[in-house]
Amino acid sequence: MDASIIIPAFGRTDLLRRTLTAALAQDYPADAYEVIVVDSSPDDANERLVRGLAPSAPCRLRVLRKDPEGPGPSRNAGARASAGRILAFLDSDCLPVAGWLAAGVAAFDEGVGLVQGRTVPDPDARLGPLTGFLRIERESFIYEAGNMFYRREAFFQTDGFHADPHGGRFWVLGGED
C-alpha cells in the first residue's frame, strides 16, 4: 500500500465529516491508500460517522478508539495500525484538495524522510483574534503535523509523537509535534 492517511479526532464530528469527505475524494488509486481515524472522544459520534461512511468509501476506511491523551499518541496509534509506506498525517479540521495525497507521495525522492504540506485557513471562515488556525506556506523548523507526510521507515526510527506536554486530558494546547 502506498499511503495511509491518519487523522486524530476528538469531538467536532461535523469538521471530521468534511475532512473525511475530502480525504476519500483524493485523485489516487483507491486500492493504494487507506484512511485511519483515531478517535479519543468521550462519546461515539465520530466512531458512528466513520463506520457509517466505511461501506461506501472508495478505499479502506476504519476507526480506532483510544483514551484521550492528545493528538500525538493518536497519531502514533494510527501509524502502528497502518499499512502504507508513506504516513500522511492530517488534522480533523483540515480539508485536503483532490491532488493532496498524490502530491505528497510524489515529493518523496531518494533520501527524503518527511514532507510538510502547505496549510492555509479556510478562505470562507471568519477569522478573529481568538480563532485558531494554522498557516504554513513553506517548510518550517517546527514541522507542524496537521499536514505532514513521513516515509514509514523514517517515522519509526524516531520515538514518534509525544503526548501533549501540558498534560490536558480534554484541553490540548499542542506542541506534541
Side-chain angles (χ1 to χ4, degrees), residues 26-93:
Q26 292 299 297
D27 293 334
Y28 207 79
D31 62 344
Y33 81 104
E34 66 181 343
V35 177
I36 302 170
V37 174
V38 183
D39 184 45
S40 55
S41 303
D43 61 32
D44 67 347
N46 286 343
E47 181 178 10
R48 286 185 287 116
L49 169 67
V50 175
R51 293 194 189 284
L53 293 173
S56 62
C59 65
R60 184 176 184 200
L61 170 63
R62 59 194 163 125
V63 62
L64 307 175
R65 294 275 295 171
K66 63 177 287 308
D67 291 335
E69 301 171 274
S74 293
R75 289 184 184 110
N76 294 340
R80 286 190 301 271
S82 71
R85 66 180 180 82
I86 302 295
L87 306 178
F89 294 101
L90 183 66
D91 279 356
S92 64
D93 60 352

Side-chain angles (χ1 to χ4, degrees), residues 4-166:
S4 298
I5 300 173
I6 300 164
I7 305 170
F10 183 88
R12 307 184 320 169
T13 304
D14 290 340
L15 289 175
L16 177 61
R17 179 186 308 280
R18 291 178 58 206
T19 299
L20 283 173
T21 299
L24 295 172
Q26 292 299 297
D27 293 334
Y28 207 79
D31 62 344
Y33 81 104
E34 66 181 343
V35 177
I36 302 170
V37 174
V38 183
D39 184 45
S40 55
S41 303
D43 61 32
D44 67 347
N46 286 343
E47 181 178 10
R48 286 185 287 116
L49 169 67
V50 175
R51 293 194 189 284
L53 293 173
S56 62
C59 65
R60 184 176 184 200
L61 170 63
R62 59 194 163 125
V63 62
L64 307 175
R65 294 275 295 171
K66 63 177 287 308
D67 291 335
E69 301 171 274
S74 293
R75 289 184 184 110
N76 294 340
R80 286 190 301 271
S82 71
R85 66 180 180 82
I86 302 295
L87 306 178
F89 294 101
L90 183 66
D91 279 356
S92 64
D93 60 352
C94 290
L95 294 175
V97 296
W100 167 78
L101 184 59
V105 171
F108 281 88
D109 292 330
E110 186 67 33
V112 173
L114 62 91
V115 173
Q116 185 169 28
R118 181 175 177 260
T119 306
V120 296
D122 182 346
D124 297 327
R126 292 186 52 166
L127 301 178
L130 299 178
T131 305
F133 66 89
L134 192 58
R135 179 181 295 278
I136 303 167
E137 297 287 345
R138 60 189 161 283
E139 187 175 349
S140 155
F141 72 93
I142 299 172
Y143 293 107
E144 300 93 333
N147 178 6
M148 182 68 77
F149 296 79
Y150 290 88
R151 187 180 304 273
R152 181 179 201 82
E153 302 85 50
F155 181 81
F156 285 110
Q157 286 177 1
T158 71
D159 291 332
F161 294 102
H162 299 287
D164 182 348
H166 309 289

